[in-house]
C-alpha cells in the first residue's frame, strides 16, 4: 500500500492541528496532530504546544502503525485487497479505531468477498456516513470503483 497517499488523505480528512482541540465525538476527545486522540494515548513527556511538524509526523506514524497492527490481528485479509481498498479500510480504521470498524460486520463480510458495491452500500447506510461528510462520500466511491477520488 502506498503509505504516502494514505497520509495525504488522512491529512485532508482529519486536518492537521499543532495545538489540542476537542473533536466532534461524543464525548469529545482531546485531539492534536492528525487526529491523534490524546486521551487514549498521551503525548510523550516534555512535549509542548505548538507541536512541530516532526512531532506531528511522529504521532501520525505511531498511530498508523497501531492501525496496521490492529487490522492485521483482527482482519488479516485486509492486506489481500487492492491498493485503493486497503487505503479505504485503513482510513476508516484510523477514523473509527479498529474496534469501531469491527462494528461494520456486514460491510466487512461483503468486502472480504470482493462485493465492493454492496460494501459501499452498507457504508452509505451507516451513521458514520452521515457524520463524516465528504470523507465518507470519497471512501464509498473508492470502495465501489477501486479509484480514489480527489
Amino acid at each position: 500500500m502506498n503509505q504516502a497517499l494514505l497520509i495525504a488523505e488522512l491529512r485532508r480528512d482529519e486536518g492537521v492541528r499543532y495545538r489540542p482541540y476537542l473533536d466532534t465525538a461524543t464525548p469529545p476527545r482531546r485531539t492534536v496532530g492528525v487526529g491523534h486522540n490524546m486521551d487514549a494515548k498521551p503525548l510523550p513527556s516534555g512535549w509542548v504546544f505548538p507541536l512541530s511538524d516532526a512531532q506531528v509526523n511522529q504521532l501520525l506514524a505511531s498511530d498508523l502503525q497501531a492501525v496496521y497492527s490492529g487490522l492485521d490481528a483482527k482482519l488479516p485479509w485486509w492486506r489481500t485487497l487492492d491498493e485503493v481498498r486497503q487505503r479505504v479500510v485503513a482510513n476508516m480504521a484510523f477514523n473509527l479505531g479498529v474496534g469501531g470498524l469491527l462494528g461494520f460486520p456486514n460491510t466487512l463480510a461483503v468486502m472480504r468477498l470482493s462485493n465492493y458495491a454492496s460494501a459501499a452500500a452498507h457504508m452509505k447506510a451507516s451513521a458514520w456516513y452521515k457524520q463524516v461528510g465528504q470523507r465518507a462520500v470519497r471512501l464509498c466511491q473508492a470502495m465501489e470503483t477501486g479509484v480514489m477520488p480527489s
Side-chain angles (χ1 to χ4, degrees):
M1 176 177 54
N2 185 331
Q3 183 165 294
L5 285 176
L6 176 61
I7 287 171
E9 291 158 4
L10 291 172
R11 284 175 166 271
R12 174 196 57 214
D13 293 338
E14 297 281 343
V16 180
R17 302 284 185 96
Y18 296 89
R19 296 181 184 277
Y21 66 98
L22 291 177
D23 69 11
T24 59
T26 305
R29 299 171 299 213
R30 292 179 317 128
T31 306
V32 72
V34 181
H36 177 80
N37 179 349
M38 293 171 46
D39 297 326
K41 187 174 178 189
L43 299 181
S45 69
W47 283 23
V48 296
F49 301 108
L51 297 181
S52 68
D53 286 326
Q55 289 168 319
V56 168
N57 292 338
Q58 183 179 335
L59 287 174
L60 180 55
S62 174
D63 291 345
L64 278 173
Q65 191 54 52
V67 166
Y68 299 152
S69 295
L71 288 171
D72 289 342
K74 300 293 186 182
L75 302 170
W77 54 265
W78 85 282
R79 297 273 189 182
T80 67
L81 297 172
D82 62 70
E83 158 80 22
V84 170
R85 293 179 176 107
Q86 282 184 28
R87 292 197 330 262
V88 170
V89 170
N91 191 312
M92 289 181 72
F94 191 93
N95 180 234
L96 296 162
V98 172
L101 181 62
L102 294 175
F104 288 68
N106 297 326
T107 304
L108 295 169
V110 293
M111 190 186 302
R112 186 174 185 183
L113 297 172
S114 303
N115 187 342
Y116 303 124
S118 183
H122 283 288
M123 290 162 65
K124 288 177 186 174
S126 71
W128 166 83
Y129 184 86
K130 295 169 189 70
Q131 294 165 352
V132 299
Q134 285 303 305
R135 177 187 208 157
V137 172
R138 281 190 301 275
L139 294 180
C140 287
Q141 185 176 347
M143 178 56 64
E144 187 167 359
T145 66
V147 176
M148 185 66 74
S150 348

